[in-house]
Amino acid sequence: MTTKTTTILFDLDGTLIDTNELIIQSFLHTLQHYYPDQYKREDVIPFMGPTLVETFGGMNPDSVEEMIKTYRAFNISNHDSLVKEFEGVKETIIALKEKGYKIGIVTSKMSDVVMKGLKLTKLDPYFEIIVALDHVEKAKPDPGPVRMALEKLHSSPEEAIMVGDNHHDILGGKNAGVRTAAVAWSIKGREYLAKYNPDYMLENMTDLLAILEAEGQ
């Protein structure tokens, strides 16, 4: 007998809210400052997903904190003009709440910026818990963040699905023993995510409701 799905965990950036342009411009601004004229838009796409410490640490371990400070200053000051929600997100989140699902966010973003994005898109009232980068020792794909979310929601891995736009989300979910759903609107492309064998591929966030309905719930 299949365990009933009770819990949906979401990544934030690139999954619920469209921060792609904000992140790209934040990287380009930072890299132009430290490495003038060495990086173009296509060069920074692979940096989307890992933590800033991982990305900047791989470039220059001695300047990580300084580079992160430059990145975050630009990111926060340009946040509200460049961020919006993806199509189908709000109606899906509202429907999940109305149907009684437990929903949370598991992100590699700092909690203050998470709240900024949720409030801007008016999604903040709907999530019961948030597990952000400053709440954990290791980021996804380590299973710790997903496990922490499940613990906070009093849910087991068997009754949960992790939804995300990056391989960190898919692998983090798999490592924690939950089912996974990739979003085809990921800036890295559906083919890229398909390589990590998610249980589901969503063309629109509303597809999640159809999947849950098909499970007979």
Side-chain angles (χ1 to χ4, degrees), residues 8-189:
I8 316 292
L9 303 175
F10 295 91
D11 177 52
L12 183 65
D13 288 352
T15 301
L16 295 175
I17 62 176
D18 186 353
T19 52
N20 291 334
E21 191 59 32
L22 175 65
I23 293 171
I24 290 168
Q25 289 196 28
S26 298
F27 273 122
L28 290 175
H29 168 82
T30 305
L31 295 170
Q32 180 64 19
H33 181 76
Y34 292 94
Y35 304 100
D37 302 323
Q38 290 187 38
Y39 288 88
K40 296 184 173 124
R41 284 181 70 90
E42 59 269 24
D43 299 324
V44 305
I45 303 297
F47 302 154
M48 300 173 75
T51 64
L52 295 176
V53 171
E54 290 173 307
T55 298
F56 293 139
M59 295 176 185
N60 188 345
D62 297 328
S63 300
V64 174
E65 292 305 318
E66 191 183 330
M67 292 175 80
I68 289 175
K69 192 174 177 183
T70 301
Y71 175 101
R72 287 199 171 132
F74 180 92
N75 188 278
I76 289 170
S77 64
N78 291 276
H79 181 279
D80 289 5
S81 63
L82 292 174
V83 173
K84 59 183 186 290
E85 73 186 64
F86 284 109
E87 181 187 349
V89 164
K90 187 169 284 183
E91 63 193 88
T92 301
I93 296 302
I94 291 171
L96 289 172
K97 287 297 285 184
E98 288 174 347
K99 290 173 186 291
Y101 288 95
K102 295 182 278 187
I103 57 176
I105 288 174
V106 183
T107 174
S108 298
K109 205 170 192 176
M110 297 295 277
S111 54
D112 58 339
V113 193
V114 172
M115 289 311 302
K116 196 172 174 66
L118 290 176
K119 284 178 179 172
L120 178 70
T121 53
K122 296 182 172 56
L123 290 169
D124 53 308
Y126 302 108
F127 294 92
E128 295 173 53
I129 60 100
I130 294 168
V131 175
L133 184 61
D134 44 325
H135 299 149
V136 297
E137 289 183 16
K138 293 181 179 178
K140 298 171 291 185
D142 187 88
V146 173
R147 286 177 179 163
M148 181 183 286
L150 293 174
E151 190 177 322
K152 285 175 178 285
L153 291 168
H154 306 290
S155 299
S156 67
E158 295 75 24
E159 58 189 307
I161 299 173
M162 174 73 210
V163 183
D165 72 307
N166 210 301
H167 74 274
H168 297 74
D169 306 310
I170 307 308
L171 295 180
K174 286 179 181 290
N175 290 339
V178 307
R179 281 166 292 146
T180 57
V183 300
W185 55 92
S186 167
I187 195 168
K188 293 190 175 181

